[in-house]
Amino acid sequence: MESYKNLLLLIVLGCGVLQSCAMRAEVYDNNNETCLYADMELQFTIKYETSDKNMSTSSFLLPSNVSTTGSTCGDNTTAPLLKLDFGDGHSFTVNFTHNQTVYHVDVITFVYNTNDSLIFPNASAKGVFTVASKVTMPDLPMDDYYKCVNPEFLIINNVTMKFSNVSVQAYIKDGNVSKQAFECDADTPTTLAPNVTTHAPNVTTHAPNVTTGAPITTPVPTPIPKPETGNYLVKTGNVTCLLADMGLQLNFSTTKNQSGWKVINIVPNDTLTSGTCGIDTSSLKLQENQMMVELVFAVKNSTKFYLNGVNVSISGQFADSNNSLEYWEASIGSSYMCNKNQNFKITDNLFLTTLDLRVQPFNVTDNKFSTAEECFLDSDLSFLVPIAVGVALGFLILLVLISYIIGRKKSHTGYQSV
Ligand SMILES: *[C@@H]1O[C@H](CO)[C@@H](O)[C@H](O)[C@H]1NC(C)=O
Ligand SMILES: *[C@@H]1O[C@H](CO)[C@@H](O)[C@H](O)[C@H]1NC(C)=O
Ligand SMILES: *[C@@H]1O[C@H](CO)[C@@H](O)[C@H](O)[C@H]1NC(C)=O
Ligand SMILES: *[C@@H]1O[C@H](CO)[C@@H](O)[C@H](O)[C@H]1NC(C)=O
Ligand SMILES: *[C@@H]1O[C@H](CO)[C@@H](O)[C@H](O)[C@H]1NC(C)=O
Ligand SMILES: *[C@@H]1O[C@H](CO)[C@@H](O)[C@H](O)[C@H]1NC(C)=O
Ligand SMILES: *[C@@H]1O[C@H](CO)[C@@H](O)[C@H](O)[C@H]1NC(C)=O
Ligand SMILES: *[C@@H]1O[C@H](CO)[C@@H](O)[C@H](O)[C@H]1NC(C)=O
Ligand SMILES: *[C@@H]1O[C@H](CO)[C@@H](O)[C@H](O)[C@H]1NC(C)=O
Ligand SMILES: *[C@@H]1O[C@H](CO)[C@@H](O)[C@H](O)[C@H]1NC(C)=O
Ligand SMILES: *[C@@H]1O[C@H](CO)[C@@H](O)[C@H](O)[C@H]1NC(C)=O
Ligand SMILES: *[C@@H]1O[C@H](CO)[C@@H](O)[C@H](O)[C@H]1NC(C)=O
């Protein structure tokens, strides 16, 4: 059922069944030269409520035929803007910001229209909804394009965006698209906590006496290692009541306008675990030096659990929380699992990145995880291809059969008339 719906959406939105669904959009300046382009596959997965009070999930790809009307190259006063309108009133928008040496994506906005009954059948709340967020994308040197082949996920409330095969460049000069790529972390080979013994090197760097007209130093990106996966548990007495395996990374901004992001990995070995277990609320508290991360889980309708709250404080630097989240939903008596690297928006200033995630905050039996309910992201749309091929083949066979029967009938009648 679910897969049929997705297949239908793929076809209807104009992506060929067997061709890739990459979208390429370019924005031109007054001289008809490219100033901004984006090439990517983008899959949206949206949770919405249906008229029978159930939650439904719709998943579809950004089609290749989008309208770029409303996009601009930007000038001294306005930021470059890529606005892609598609389907029945949906749009995906990205704007950029820069200084003399670097630029980065500023805000990503996605607008969806639940009146589109093809994508949102039976939606109870019909209307136009918007999710938007500043994003934690790295600074790109001017004249570089951003490249990320591996999938990256951005999750804001009910909307999950999966980006893959991304190439994006803004501020293109003279219409010449760059060949110099800035590669994302996800593409750089697994640099899991590089085992480099960094004794502070003994090089006494006297500030060099170079005063030769402000050298343009392109910022060297320091890749952030992937967080290590920790195995955390909470006990009541001698019985384990909460289990959580995950790699956890915090992206936070200490400034009100999110001008710079800091990244911290939770190091499991240095982490003190505590928490509480209740009938309808449980919590996991991780403390590492001056840093505290608390995850609060709640129960919905005595059948489902979900991540309801995240509370982070980093002594002297940062403190923020949100207690009205609805992430990581699964049935009570099972565990929630998501191996993919996911980036969850918690607040404007705080994102949580997880990988190899598996949690069970309620009804743990025998100190071990129960059956896992896997996140949608772990299964990608590639499973649709065999189905699509099957359907196409089926059609073909049917067609041949019908023409054969018709042919036979014709020749038959033809025979008789002789
Ligand atoms: C811009 O390019 C398109 C085709 O690429 C052409 O039809 C159009 O006339 C050009 N406009 C200008 C102002 O050069
Ligand atoms: C988002 O999800 C929540 C529950 O998870 C639901 O109550 C709400 O209606 C959804 N929002 C939209 C716009 O569909
Ligand atoms: C933008 O600023 C530059 C220099 O600061 C100036 O030469 C140019 O005319 C400005 N362009 C516009 C459209 O204001
Ligand atoms: C990008 O768009 C957002 C929302 O539309 C706006 O708040 C922000 O100021 C824009 N960024 C720039 C650099 O103009
Ligand atoms: C541009 O921003 C980067 C990163 O925020 C900073 O390191 C650099 O010094 C800035 N350059 C200028 C010229 O302001
Ligand atoms: C680093 O490498 C050394 C030897 O190669 C090993 O003994 C040590 O345990 C490693 N440390 C970490 C953190 O992996
Ligand atoms: C580094 O400095 C320390 C003391 O400042 C000194 O004892 C040591 O020999 C130095 N090592 C090297 C490699 O220069
Ligand atoms: C650096 O500059 C200062 C004064 O500008 C000068 O006294 C000093 O000798 C210079 N050092 C080197 C290594 O050039
Ligand atoms: C846990 O504690 C209870 C009593 O407090 C005891 O009966 C039981 O044997 C203990 N179980 C384990 C596995 O130690
Ligand atoms: C963490 O601790 C475990 C067991 O104490 C050890 O096997 C592992 O090497 C440690 N990892 C690091 C990065 O120190
Ligand atoms: C709660 O769960 C029951 C049984 O699954 C279902 O019939 C009911 O509609 C649910 N209520 C809400 C508010 O989701
Ligand atoms: C979960 O635990 C609660 C309280 O211990 C119990 O009432 C409930 O029946 C359990 N649910 C499942 C699905 O095991």
Side-chain angles (χ1 to χ4, degrees):
M1 276 295 277
E2 193 71 12
S3 50
Y4 252 123
K5 201 168 78 194
N6 287 334
L7 177 64
L8 192 73
L9 289 179
L10 278 181
I11 294 167
V12 169
L13 287 174
C15 297
V17 168
L18 292 176
Q19 86 205 27
S20 101
C21 224
M23 181 284 319
R24 185 178 173 98
E26 295 194 24
V27 182
Y28 305 100
D29 63 14
N30 296 334
N31 302 323
N32 230 10
E33 284 175 339
T34 305
C35 64
L36 172 60
Y37 84 93
D39 196 336
M40 64 186 156
E41 286 165 48
L42 172 51
Q43 183 187 344
F44 299 98
T45 303
I46 302 158
K47 274 194 307 179
Y48 68 99
E49 201 182 53
T50 52
S51 31
D52 55 2
K53 293 273 173 264
N54 283 324
M55 293 305 289
S56 185
T57 303
S58 184
S59 189
F60 59 96
L61 298 165
L62 179 65
S64 45
N65 56 332
V66 292
S67 154
T68 55
T69 314
S71 303
T72 74
C73 292
D75 56 28
N76 291 1
T77 51
T78 54
L81 181 76
L82 179 68
K83 184 165 186 290
L84 307 176
D85 294 313
F86 62 96
D88 189 359
H90 314 293
S91 73
F92 172 78
T93 308
V94 179
N95 67 2
F96 298 82
T97 182
H98 75 296
N99 67 14
Q100 275 153 16
T101 52
V102 296
Y103 72 101
H104 63 85
V105 171
D106 190 28
V107 174
I108 287 182
T109 308
F110 173 53
V111 174
Y112 59 105
N113 179 7
T114 55
N115 286 308
D116 184 343
S117 56
L118 200 58
I119 293 182
F120 303 102
N122 289 327
S124 64
K126 295 204 190 292
V128 173
F129 297 90
T130 302
V131 291
S133 183
K134 290 248 186 188
V135 293
T136 64
M137 238 180 83
D139 282 335
L140 314 170
M142 277 293 179
D143 304 328
D144 275 18
Y145 75 98
Y146 180 74
K147 176 163 177 262
C148 203
V149 174
N150 283 299
E152 291 183 301
F153 296 94
L154 174 64
I155 300 153
I156 311 171
N157 302 334
N158 296 0
V159 177
T160 299
M161 291 176 244
K162 175 188 179 184
F163 298 87
S164 26
N165 290 320
V166 174
S167 299
V168 176
Q169 189 183 0
Y171 304 100
I172 299 170
K173 284 200 205 81
D174 308 325
N176 296 319
V177 168
S178 177
K179 290 187 174 60
Q180 177 68 40
F182 181 100
E183 292 192 35
C184 63
D185 285 346
D187 284 359
T188 50
T190 329
T191 45
L192 219 171
N195 189 357
V196 198
T197 13
T198 40
H199 296 297
N202 248 10
V203 204
T204 14
T205 37
H206 298 291
N209 257 9
V210 207
T211 40
T212 42
I216 308 272
T217 46
T218 40
V220 180
T222 44
I224 298 136
K226 285 189 180 163
E228 270 179 79
T229 307
N231 311 108
Y232 309 103
L233 55 85
V234 178
K235 288 184 173 193
T236 47
N238 58 4
V239 180
T240 302
C241 62
L242 183 153
L243 283 166
D245 289 0
M246 59 189 154
L248 206 55
Q249 186 177 74
L250 305 175
N251 293 46
F252 62 98
S253 173
T254 50
T255 58
K256 272 278 167 284
N257 63 354
Q258 298 87 32
S259 56
W261 294 93
K262 294 187 179 172
V263 182
I264 293 187
N265 286 345
I266 305 292
V267 181
N269 277 11
D270 301 341
T271 300
L272 216 70
T273 310
S274 59
T276 59
C277 291
I279 303 286
D280 48 22
T281 326
S282 291
S283 70
L284 173 69
K285 199 173 190 175
L286 305 174
Q287 278 172 289
E288 184 192 329
N289 299 321
Q290 299 297 301
M291 175 162 63
M292 190 280 295
V293 180
E294 188 181 28
L295 307 176
V296 179
F297 299 90
V299 170
K300 186 173 5 186
N301 195 14
S302 29
T303 55
K304 300 268 190 182
F305 70 81
Y306 61 99
L307 177 68
N308 187 212
V310 171
N311 186 356
V312 170
S313 72
I314 300 159
S315 172
Q317 280 196 70
F318 180 79
D320 211 349
S321 64
N322 183 344
N323 293 304
S324 54
L325 303 169
E326 289 198 32
Y327 294 140
W328 308 358
E329 189 177 298
S331 305
I332 300 247
S334 65
S335 56
Y336 173 82
M337 184 157 110
C338 204
N339 290 318
K340 290 264 166 63
N341 201 325
Q342 305 178 88
N343 200 7
F344 294 93
K345 181 177 182 176
I346 307 300
T347 69
D348 285 345
N349 293 303
L350 175 64
F351 284 77
L352 202 66
T353 303
T354 62
L355 83 148
D356 298 331
L357 171 68
R358 188 164 182 190
V359 286
Q360 187 168 352
F362 299 99
N363 295 52
V364 174
T365 51
D366 301 333
N367 303 328
K368 58 177 200 279
F369 282 113
S370 309
T371 1
E373 286 184 7
E374 225 169 324
C375 64
F376 180 83
L377 308 175
D378 279 352
S379 67
D380 58 38
L381 280 176
S382 54
F383 74 95
L384 281 176
V385 172
I387 297 176
V389 172
V391 169
L393 274 180
F395 255 117
L396 218 74
I397 291 170
L398 209 73
L399 221 73
V400 169
L401 218 79
I402 290 171
S403 47
Y404 174 74
I405 290 169
I406 292 174
R408 257 185 73 104
K409 250 202 167 136
K410 265 211 176 130
S411 68
H412 200 66
T413 48
Y415 228 96
Q416 280 209 327
S417 69
V418 170

